[in-house]
Amino acid sequence: MNENDFLKYAKEGKTIEALSEYHEICTDLLLKATKIKMKLNCEYHTEEEIREIFAELTSSEVNETLSIVPPFHTDCGKNIVIGENVFINSNCTMQDQGGIYIGDDVLIGHNTCLLTLNHDPDPEKRGNLHPSPIHIEDKVWLGSNVTVLPGVRIKKGAIVAAGAVVTKDVDENTVVGGVPAKVIKKINE
């Protein structure tokens, strides 16, 4: 088994059992990502250099419109897909084993956490991981200190208020906030 097998397995939402071969690859990806994150986060880089390091982290091409303010954190990096004109502010964390898909013209505020893994609720299996993707559609704005939980889709044009914890899908052109996030209002078009 290799990294691609693991990524395919995780994208399918299959359980990653503790101490399994899949879990070992998950840990190996974490160590590789940590090494690249240290390069990104521990010294000054131009925007072009940041995109080059991010491309190394994700093992994919990165478009010239991506703007990231370090530090940036991930424990995998290989399951992140980002569209055009995306801005990611400082101290963003993307736990991406389950897949993170970010559309075009998205703004992501300081200290945002995008989390695609849950632990098993059964105490005897608590080390098992359950991946589920996050989808952030075009023109979404995530305020500072937002947390998005596994399996959530935030639809086009939505705004998530600062400090919100998003536990379920957010409708198009809607403002949500709070813990857990609830609809505050619709955005006038």
Side-chain angles (χ1 to χ4, degrees), residues 63-92:
N63 69 69
E64 292 180 5
T65 63
L66 175 63
S67 181
I68 299 174
V69 179
F72 175 85
H73 307 282
T74 184
D75 56 2
C76 178
K78 307 299 185 206
N79 260 349
I80 301 171
V81 178
I82 297 180
E84 300 279 328
N85 300 311
V86 172
F87 175 75
I88 301 170
N89 217 328
S90 64
N91 213 32
C92 179

mmCIF file of all heavy atoms in Angstrom, residues 63-92:
data_model
loop_
_atom_site.group_PDB
_atom_site.id
_atom_site.type_symbol
_atom_site.label_atom_id
_atom_site.label_comp_id
_atom_site.label_asym_id
_atom_site.label_seq_id
_atom_site.Cartn_x
_atom_site.Cartn_y
_atom_site.Cartn_z
ATOM 1 N N ASN A 63 -2.266 27.709 -8.195
ATOM 2 C CA ASN A 63 -2.424 28.850 -9.099
ATOM 3 C C ASN A 63 -1.849 30.123 -8.493
ATOM 4 O O ASN A 63 -1.709 30.239 -7.277
ATOM 5 C CB ASN A 63 -3.891 29.011 -9.506
ATOM 6 C CG ASN A 63 -4.768 29.446 -8.356
ATOM 7 O OD1 ASN A 63 -4.656 30.573 -7.883
ATOM 8 N ND2 ASN A 63 -5.639 28.558 -7.903
ATOM 9 N N GLU A 64 -1.530 31.077 -9.361
ATOM 10 C CA GLU A 64 -0.868 32.320 -8.947
ATOM 11 C C GLU A 64 -1.769 33.254 -8.155
ATOM 12 O O GLU A 64 -1.301 34.239 -7.595
ATOM 13 C CB GLU A 64 -0.326 33.051 -10.173
ATOM 14 C CG GLU A 64 0.812 32.320 -10.845
ATOM 15 C CD GLU A 64 1.350 33.057 -12.069
ATOM 16 O OE1 GLU A 64 0.912 34.193 -12.347
ATOM 17 O OE2 GLU A 64 2.220 32.479 -12.732
ATOM 18 N N THR A 65 -3.069 32.964 -8.093
ATOM 19 C CA THR A 65 -3.993 33.836 -7.374
ATOM 20 C C THR A 65 -4.156 33.438 -5.910
ATOM 21 O O THR A 65 -4.838 34.134 -5.164
ATOM 22 C CB THR A 65 -5.375 33.849 -8.056
ATOM 23 O OG1 THR A 65 -5.932 32.527 -8.005
ATOM 24 C CG2 THR A 65 -5.264 34.316 -9.505
ATOM 25 N N LEU A 66 -3.548 32.324 -5.505
ATOM 26 C CA LEU A 66 -3.631 31.895 -4.109
ATOM 27 C C LEU A 66 -2.768 32.802 -3.239
ATOM 28 O O LEU A 66 -1.613 33.058 -3.551
ATOM 29 C CB LEU A 66 -3.162 30.442 -3.957
ATOM 30 C CG LEU A 66 -3.091 29.905 -2.524
ATOM 31 C CD1 LEU A 66 -4.476 29.876 -1.873
ATOM 32 C CD2 LEU A 66 -2.460 28.527 -2.510
ATOM 33 N N SER A 67 -3.341 33.264 -2.135
ATOM 34 C CA SER A 67 -2.602 34.086 -1.182
ATOM 35 C C SER A 67 -2.749 33.470 0.203
ATOM 36 O O SER A 67 -3.866 33.292 0.695
ATOM 37 C CB SER A 67 -3.143 35.516 -1.187
ATOM 38 O OG SER A 67 -2.417 36.320 -0.284
ATOM 39 N N ILE A 68 -1.614 33.133 0.818
ATOM 40 C CA ILE A 68 -1.591 32.529 2.150
ATOM 41 C C ILE A 68 -0.694 33.370 3.049
ATOM 42 O O ILE A 68 0.428 33.707 2.674
ATOM 43 C CB ILE A 68 -1.042 31.087 2.104
ATOM 44 C CG1 ILE A 68 -1.921 30.200 1.228
ATOM 45 C CG2 ILE A 68 -0.932 30.507 3.511
ATOM 46 C CD1 ILE A 68 -1.370 28.810 1.020
ATOM 47 N N VAL A 69 -1.190 33.680 4.245
ATOM 48 C CA VAL A 69 -0.387 34.368 5.252
ATOM 49 C C VAL A 69 0.031 33.316 6.287
ATOM 50 O O VAL A 69 -0.818 32.808 7.017
ATOM 51 C CB VAL A 69 -1.167 35.503 5.938
ATOM 52 C CG1 VAL A 69 -0.306 36.187 6.992
ATOM 53 C CG2 VAL A 69 -1.688 36.505 4.915
ATOM 54 N N PRO A 70 1.312 32.956 6.336
ATOM 55 C CA PRO A 70 1.754 31.985 7.338
ATOM 56 C C PRO A 70 1.601 32.547 8.752
ATOM 57 O O PRO A 70 1.542 33.763 8.916
ATOM 58 C CB PRO A 70 3.232 31.760 6.995
ATOM 59 C CG PRO A 70 3.361 32.184 5.571
ATOM 60 C CD PRO A 70 2.375 33.311 5.414
ATOM 61 N N PRO A 71 1.561 31.689 9.765
ATOM 62 C CA PRO A 71 1.743 30.255 9.652
ATOM 63 C C PRO A 71 0.503 29.560 9.113
ATOM 64 O O PRO A 71 -0.622 30.028 9.280
ATOM 65 C CB PRO A 71 2.055 29.813 11.078
ATOM 66 C CG PRO A 71 1.399 30.829 11.942
ATOM 67 C CD PRO A 71 1.466 32.121 11.182
ATOM 68 N N PHE A 72 0.730 28.420 8.491
ATOM 69 C CA PHE A 72 -0.312 27.545 7.963
ATOM 70 C C PHE A 72 -0.042 26.149 8.508
ATOM 71 O O PHE A 72 1.107 25.718 8.568
ATOM 72 C CB PHE A 72 -0.275 27.517 6.431
ATOM 73 C CG PHE A 72 -1.241 26.544 5.835
ATOM 74 C CD1 PHE A 72 -2.554 26.913 5.614
ATOM 75 C CD2 PHE A 72 -0.846 25.253 5.499
ATOM 76 C CE1 PHE A 72 -3.474 26.005 5.079
ATOM 77 C CE2 PHE A 72 -1.739 24.348 4.969
ATOM 78 C CZ PHE A 72 -3.055 24.723 4.750
ATOM 79 N N HIS A 73 -1.107 25.436 8.888
ATOM 80 C CA HIS A 73 -0.929 24.119 9.497
ATOM 81 C C HIS A 73 -1.778 23.076 8.785
ATOM 82 O O HIS A 73 -2.921 23.348 8.401
ATOM 83 C CB HIS A 73 -1.333 24.154 10.973
ATOM 84 C CG HIS A 73 -0.642 25.231 11.728
ATOM 85 N ND1 HIS A 73 0.673 25.120 12.149
ATOM 86 C CD2 HIS A 73 -1.058 26.458 12.109
ATOM 87 C CE1 HIS A 73 1.009 26.232 12.778
ATOM 88 N NE2 HIS A 73 -0.006 27.057 12.761
ATOM 89 N N THR A 74 -1.221 21.902 8.625
ATOM 90 C CA THR A 74 -1.953 20.743 8.128
ATOM 91 C C THR A 74 -1.281 19.494 8.670
ATOM 92 O O THR A 74 -0.101 19.533 9.023
ATOM 93 C CB THR A 74 -2.021 20.702 6.589
ATOM 94 O OG1 THR A 74 -2.829 19.599 6.189
ATOM 95 C CG2 THR A 74 -0.654 20.585 5.955
ATOM 96 N N ASP A 75 -2.039 18.403 8.727
ATOM 97 C CA ASP A 75 -1.440 17.149 9.160
ATOM 98 C C ASP A 75 -1.408 16.128 8.034
ATOM 99 O O ASP A 75 -1.204 14.955 8.267
ATOM 100 C CB ASP A 75 -2.130 16.594 10.410
ATOM 101 C CG ASP A 75 -3.612 16.402 10.237
ATOM 102 O OD1 ASP A 75 -4.131 16.659 9.134
ATOM 103 O OD2 ASP A 75 -4.268 15.989 11.196
ATOM 104 N N CYS A 76 -1.581 16.600 6.812
ATOM 105 C CA CYS A 76 -1.486 15.731 5.634
ATOM 106 C C CYS A 76 -1.049 16.578 4.437
ATOM 107 O O CYS A 76 0.051 16.431 3.943
ATOM 108 C CB CYS A 76 -2.818 15.027 5.377
ATOM 109 S SG CYS A 76 -2.836 13.971 3.926
ATOM 110 N N GLY A 77 -1.934 17.449 3.963
ATOM 111 C CA GLY A 77 -1.611 18.340 2.853
ATOM 112 C C GLY A 77 -1.974 17.796 1.487
ATOM 113 O O GLY A 77 -2.140 18.555 0.543
ATOM 114 N N LYS A 78 -2.101 16.504 1.362
ATOM 115 C CA LYS A 78 -2.285 15.888 0.044
ATOM 116 C C LYS A 78 -3.734 15.841 -0.414
ATOM 117 O O LYS A 78 -4.009 15.482 -1.553
ATOM 118 C CB LYS A 78 -1.724 14.458 0.039
ATOM 119 C CG LYS A 78 -0.296 14.337 0.514
ATOM 120 C CD LYS A 78 0.663 15.114 -0.343
ATOM 121 C CE LYS A 78 2.100 14.869 0.100
ATOM 122 N NZ LYS A 78 2.984 15.951 -0.218
ATOM 123 N N ASN A 79 -4.692 16.182 0.442
ATOM 124 C CA ASN A 79 -6.112 16.123 0.088
ATOM 125 C C ASN A 79 -6.754 17.509 0.134
ATOM 126 O O ASN A 79 -7.895 17.660 0.554
ATOM 127 C CB ASN A 79 -6.859 15.168 1.031
ATOM 128 C CG ASN A 79 -7.098 13.815 0.406
ATOM 129 O OD1 ASN A 79 -6.901 13.628 -0.787
ATOM 130 N ND2 ASN A 79 -7.526 12.869 1.206
ATOM 131 N N ILE A 80 -5.997 18.529 -0.299
ATOM 132 C CA ILE A 80 -6.499 19.900 -0.358
ATOM 133 C C ILE A 80 -6.592 20.310 -1.822
ATOM 134 O O ILE A 80 -5.620 20.199 -2.561
ATOM 135 C CB ILE A 80 -5.570 20.875 0.386
ATOM 136 C CG1 ILE A 80 -5.416 20.488 1.858
ATOM 137 C CG2 ILE A 80 -6.074 22.319 0.258
ATOM 138 C CD1 ILE A 80 -4.337 21.277 2.599
ATOM 139 N N VAL A 81 -7.777 20.787 -2.232
ATOM 140 C CA VAL A 81 -7.988 21.290 -3.590
ATOM 141 C C VAL A 81 -8.490 22.722 -3.465
ATOM 142 O O VAL A 81 -9.503 22.967 -2.792
ATOM 143 C CB VAL A 81 -9.007 20.429 -4.357
ATOM 144 C CG1 VAL A 81 -9.258 21.001 -5.745
ATOM 145 C CG2 VAL A 81 -8.543 18.974 -4.436
ATOM 146 N N ILE A 82 -7.780 23.672 -4.098
ATOM 147 C CA ILE A 82 -8.107 25.090 -3.943
ATOM 148 C C ILE A 82 -8.318 25.738 -5.306
ATOM 149 O O ILE A 82 -7.512 25.570 -6.219
ATOM 150 C CB ILE A 82 -6.986 25.827 -3.176
ATOM 151 C CG1 ILE A 82 -6.865 25.248 -1.769
ATOM 152 C CG2 ILE A 82 -7.259 27.334 -3.120
ATOM 153 C CD1 ILE A 82 -5.792 25.886 -0.918
ATOM 154 N N GLY A 83 -9.398 26.526 -5.412
ATOM 155 C CA GLY A 83 -9.741 27.233 -6.639
ATOM 156 C C GLY A 83 -8.947 28.515 -6.828
ATOM 157 O O GLY A 83 -7.887 28.718 -6.228
ATOM 158 N N GLU A 84 -9.482 29.406 -7.644
ATOM 159 C CA GLU A 84 -8.853 30.685 -7.993
ATOM 160 C C GLU A 84 -9.214 31.763 -6.970
ATOM 161 O O GLU A 84 -10.288 31.730 -6.371
ATOM 162 C CB GLU A 84 -9.336 31.146 -9.371
ATOM 163 C CG GLU A 84 -9.038 30.188 -10.504
ATOM 164 C CD GLU A 84 -7.617 30.314 -11.026
ATOM 165 O OE1 GLU A 84 -7.062 31.418 -10.992
ATOM 166 O OE2 GLU A 84 -7.081 29.295 -11.476
ATOM 167 N N ASN A 85 -8.307 32.732 -6.806
ATOM 168 C CA ASN A 85 -8.541 33.914 -5.971
ATOM 169 C C ASN A 85 -8.945 33.568 -4.536
ATOM 170 O O ASN A 85 -9.913 34.104 -4.005
ATOM 171 C CB ASN A 85 -9.601 34.830 -6.604
ATOM 172 C CG ASN A 85 -9.177 35.313 -7.963
ATOM 173 O OD1 ASN A 85 -8.054 35.792 -8.141
ATOM 174 N ND2 ASN A 85 -10.055 35.158 -8.943
ATOM 175 N N VAL A 86 -8.194 32.680 -3.922
ATOM 176 C CA VAL A 86 -8.457 32.283 -2.540
ATOM 177 C C VAL A 86 -7.447 32.969 -1.634
ATOM 178 O O VAL A 86 -6.256 33.010 -1.928
ATOM 179 C CB VAL A 86 -8.375 30.747 -2.384
ATOM 180 C CG1 VAL A 86 -8.451 30.333 -0.918
ATOM 181 C CG2 VAL A 86 -9.487 30.076 -3.190
ATOM 182 N N PHE A 87 -7.946 33.521 -0.516
ATOM 183 C CA PHE A 87 -7.101 34.156 0.496
ATOM 184 C C PHE A 87 -7.246 33.380 1.799
ATOM 185 O O PHE A 87 -8.363 33.172 2.288
ATOM 186 C CB PHE A 87 -7.509 35.611 0.720
ATOM 187 C CG PHE A 87 -6.746 36.272 1.835
ATOM 188 C CD1 PHE A 87 -5.428 36.673 1.657
ATOM 189 C CD2 PHE A 87 -7.337 36.470 3.078
ATOM 190 C CE1 PHE A 87 -4.711 37.268 2.698
ATOM 191 C CE2 PHE A 87 -6.632 37.071 4.118
ATOM 192 C CZ PHE A 87 -5.320 37.468 3.926
ATOM 193 N N ILE A 88 -6.118 32.932 2.346
ATOM 194 C CA ILE A 88 -6.087 32.194 3.608
ATOM 195 C C ILE A 88 -5.240 32.993 4.594
ATOM 196 O O ILE A 88 -4.033 33.147 4.397
ATOM 197 C CB ILE A 88 -5.491 30.783 3.410
ATOM 198 C CG1 ILE A 88 -6.320 29.995 2.393
ATOM 199 C CG2 ILE A 88 -5.402 30.052 4.741
ATOM 200 C CD1 ILE A 88 -5.687 28.693 1.946
ATOM 201 N N ASN A 89 -5.876 33.509 5.644
ATOM 202 C CA ASN A 89 -5.165 34.337 6.608
ATOM 203 C C ASN A 89 -4.374 33.472 7.588
ATOM 204 O O ASN A 89 -4.436 32.245 7.562
ATOM 205 C CB ASN A 89 -6.141 35.263 7.336
ATOM 206 C CG ASN A 89 -5.532 36.626 7.600
ATOM 207 O OD1 ASN A 89 -4.329 36.750 7.805
ATOM 208 N ND2 ASN A 89 -6.366 37.656 7.584
ATOM 209 N N SER A 90 -3.634 34.119 8.463
ATOM 210 C CA SER A 90 -2.651 33.438 9.302
ATOM 211 C C SER A 90 -3.271 32.448 10.283
ATOM 212 O O SER A 90 -4.391 32.608 10.749
ATOM 213 C CB SER A 90 -1.803 34.456 10.064
ATOM 214 O OG SER A 90 -2.594 35.197 10.943
ATOM 215 N N ASN A 91 -2.490 31.412 10.545
ATOM 216 C CA ASN A 91 -2.776 30.392 11.546
ATOM 217 C C ASN A 91 -3.976 29.514 11.190
ATOM 218 O O ASN A 91 -4.656 28.996 12.065
ATOM 219 C CB ASN A 91 -2.963 31.007 12.932
ATOM 220 C CG ASN A 91 -2.481 30.084 14.013
ATOM 221 O OD1 ASN A 91 -1.540 29.322 13.821
ATOM 222 N ND2 ASN A 91 -3.137 30.122 15.157
ATOM 223 N N CYS A 92 -4.210 29.322 9.908
ATOM 224 C CA CYS A 92 -5.261 28.419 9.452
ATOM 225 C C CYS A 92 -4.777 26.978 9.615
ATOM 226 O O CYS A 92 -3.610 26.670 9.370
ATOM 227 C CB CYS A 92 -5.581 28.697 7.984
ATOM 228 S SG CYS A 92 -6.852 27.633 7.309
#
